[in-house]
Amino acid sequence: QVQLVESGGGWVQPGGSLRLSCAASGFVDYYGIGWFRQVPGKEREGVSCIHMGDASTHYADSVEGRFTISRDSDKNTAFLQMNSLEPEDTAVYYCVTNCWDGREWRNGTWGQGIQVTVSS
């Protein structure tokens, strides 16, 4: 089974940027990788996903144009560049495999999650 480890979270002021990384190890066998996020008291929501084969990407409407997902297949690592961050982006971000099937959000293996806080 694949193991996922997130890094790069933290605190940033509104308008700032952060870059999340997700390193995969173990039995690496998935077609997509990306991020979900969760705010206390709310359901987890899909943020972005990238296909490992053709590098096609998918974004939630709330982050489209501000976040950019990428991957390094050789290193089994995915990245989420988050720009123009807003307080509403504050959440625990989870790296997830097989997050988008072309029609709707899905999920396979989850990382442990990392906190992102946007405040002044």
Side-chain angles (χ1 to χ4, degrees):
Q1 188 174 0
V2 64
Q3 291 83 44
L4 306 173
V5 178
E6 301 98 335
S7 61
W11 172 83
V12 66
Q13 291 185 334
S17 299
L18 283 174
R19 188 189 193 212
L20 302 182
S21 298
C22 175
S25 61
F27 184 62
V28 180
D29 182 18
Y30 47 83
Y31 61 80
I33 191 167
W35 273 266
F36 276 58
R37 66 186 181 187
Q38 186 172 28
V39 176
K42 295 187 178 180
E43 293 187 357
R44 292 176 178 177
E45 62 171 347
V47 175
S48 182
C49 197
I50 186 167
H51 194 278
M52 298 305 292
D54 62 12
S56 58
T57 58
H58 184 75
Y59 297 93
D61 290 342
S62 58
V63 306
E64 183 83 54
R66 300 187 297 122
F67 291 10
T68 303
I69 192 170
S70 60
R71 90 282 192 249
D72 184 333
S73 297
D74 292 339
K75 297 182 179 179
N76 294 320
T77 303
F79 306 96
L80 186 68
Q81 178 66 42
M82 305 185 294
N83 298 329
S84 301
L85 282 161
E86 304 167 351
E88 293 73 23
D89 296 315
T90 296
V92 176
Y93 284 70
Y94 296 89
C95 183
V96 182
T97 61
N98 299 336
C99 32
W100 177 256
D101 69 0
R103 292 191 301 174
E104 59 185 8
W105 297 105
R106 297 288 189 181
N107 60 86
T109 300
W110 292 74
Q112 81 284 359
I114 192 165
Q115 180 69 44
V116 170
T117 302
V118 185
S119 70
S120 54

